[in-house]
Amino acid sequence: MSDSSFDFEKSLASLEQLVEQMEAGDLSLEESLKAFESGIKLTRQCQTALDKAEQKVQILLGQDGEIVAQDFDAE
């Protein structure tokens, strides 16, 4: 998942749609398992994006009280 290809808002909307489908109760067991698996993957991707954003904010605010932009490399 690179930052340039990941769309947080689109992924969150997809996750919400999966939840609605599962809550409706109209999916077969197999479809429910596939939806659950997709939901877990989307949740992890969204959480990673949020973690990276939080780390970037901490970097921006942690420079002796001065706001200094730095690239963050999580790897």
Side-chain angles (χ1 to χ4, degrees), residues 2-40:
S2 69
D3 290 334
S4 61
S5 66
F6 182 72
D7 186 336
F8 180 83
E9 288 77 14
K10 184 177 179 182
S11 294
L12 190 57
S14 295
L15 184 57
E16 290 172 348
Q17 184 179 19
L18 283 172
V19 170
E20 288 175 9
Q21 289 174 349
M22 292 179 73
E23 286 179 341
D26 296 331
L27 299 177
S28 68
L29 178 59
E30 184 176 328
E31 291 169 329
S32 293
L33 287 172
K34 286 181 182 180
F36 182 76
E37 183 178 1
S38 295
I40 293 296

